[in-house]
Amino acid sequence: DQQVKQNSPSLSVQEGRISILNCDYTNSMFDYFLWYKKYPAEGPTFLISISSIKDKNEDGRFTVFLNKSAKHLSLHIVPSQPGDSAVYFCAASGSRGRSKLTFGKGITLSVRP
Amino acid sequence: DAGITQSPRHKVTETGTPVTLRCHQTENHRYMYWYRQDPGHGLRLIHYSYGVKDTDKGEVSDGYSVSRSKTEDFLLTLESATSSQTSVYFCAISKDRTNEKLFFGSGTQLSVL
């Protein structure tokens, strides 16, 4: 039973345009959400997070939006750059971020020059 | 990069043989985790440790055991490797239980033939 779903396995966008990566979750106990980025042959690295008490968190070109009623979050990258090409994992946890993470399958983003 | 070293980086082994993967950290972080990454599954937690000799099972622990005799080392053992354990294994560390501060190693590619 997949509790964190990233239903689109891949996304391709033009450099300079917006990338929107989607994530859905089913567990109502999740209250903290994170995005990790992974390059080939490297481990994932933390990108951005959001608590359930917020509906938006922004860090430079990266913004995460949370819609609790829809159990949906999205990562926006504006403008997209070729260096953003990577696998992006959505992850969720409960207990205000202090329980173990549940990851989605990941989305492969390709940014075309 | 956080001081995390996984060894070996690549290993090919035969079904039925025991295999031990090592994670070594120089950050003196209390929490350590082992994940596996598989296509279509994302990252799944195998085992974790909250301190020396304090370990517990994750969501996919069958066929795996761990040991942590020192703060800096977390060993993952496949008692009798099977082809289903072919995967990329990632070690992660964190200073506390706040998940955004989860740092991953570069991974071990394990192939069980």
Side-chain angles (χ1 to χ4, degrees):
Chain A
D1 180 28
Q2 203 178 351
Q3 299 186 68
V4 178
K5 301 177 182 180
Q6 296 179 261
N7 293 319
S8 301
S10 63
L11 175 67
S12 181
V13 299
Q14 192 74 36
E15 180 179 5
R17 305 294 291 270
I18 184 172
S19 296
I20 300 176
L21 289 72
N22 294 308
C23 178
D24 298 291
Y25 62 97
T26 58
N27 190 336
S28 299
M29 300 302 293
F30 288 150
D31 57 13
Y32 196 72
F33 305 90
L34 307 91
W35 286 91
Y36 281 81
K37 176 180 179 180
K38 184 186 177 305
Y39 292 118
E42 295 183 11
T45 56
F46 169 74
L47 185 60
I48 192 169
S49 62
I50 187 167
S51 165
S52 60
I53 63 173
K54 296 184 177 181
D55 55 16
K56 175 183 174 181
N57 189 26
E58 188 173 355
D59 183 2
R61 298 186 295 113
F62 302 90
T63 303
V64 57
F65 296 92
L66 176 62
N67 182 333
K68 290 184 292 293
S69 61
K71 293 189 175 67
H72 175 84
L73 62 154
S74 60
L75 174 68
H76 293 214
I77 306 173
V78 183
S80 300
Q81 300 174 354
D84 296 328
S85 298
V87 177
Y88 290 79
F89 291 101
C90 174
S93 71
S95 303
R96 288 172 290 178
R98 295 185 180 276
S99 68
K100 295 176 290 299
L101 287 174
T102 299
F103 284 86
K105 294 179 181 181
I107 301 172
T108 300
L109 173 66
S110 299
V111 180
R112 306 184 304 271
Chain B
D1 288 347
I4 309 171
T5 303
Q6 289 187 234
S7 58
R9 289 298 310 276
H10 303 272
K11 185 170 183 64
V12 180
T13 191
E14 294 184 349
T15 299
T17 60
V19 177
T20 295
L21 308 183
R22 181 184 185 227
C23 178
H24 178 76
Q25 59 139 331
T26 57
E27 304 295 323
N28 201 35
H29 284 0
R30 178 178 174 186
Y31 302 94
M32 299 186 76
Y33 309 81
W34 276 107
Y35 287 87
R36 60 179 288 175
Q37 184 197 0
D38 303 289
H41 290 280
L43 290 158
R44 293 180 292 175
L45 182 65
I46 306 171
H47 279 281
Y48 58 99
S49 170
Y50 286 169
V52 173
K53 297 184 179 179
D54 183 4
T55 64
D56 207 346
K57 297 178 179 179
E59 62 181 297
V60 290
S61 60
D62 287 349
Y64 302 95
S65 62
V66 289
S67 66
R68 191 163 177 207
S69 59
K70 297 184 291 185
T71 298
E72 59 265 34
D73 289 324
F74 194 31
L75 304 180
L76 177 70
T77 297
L78 289 65
E79 304 291 346
S80 177
T82 67
S83 58
S84 65
Q85 293 176 311
T86 293
S87 186
V88 181
Y89 291 86
F90 288 100
C91 173
I93 65 173
S94 65
K95 186 175 182 179
D96 54 37
R97 291 176 67 177
T98 304
N99 287 302
E100 68 184 66
K101 295 181 173 63
L102 201 61
F103 298 101
F104 285 84
S106 298
T108 294
Q109 172 68 62
L110 176 66
S111 298
V112 183
L113 306 179

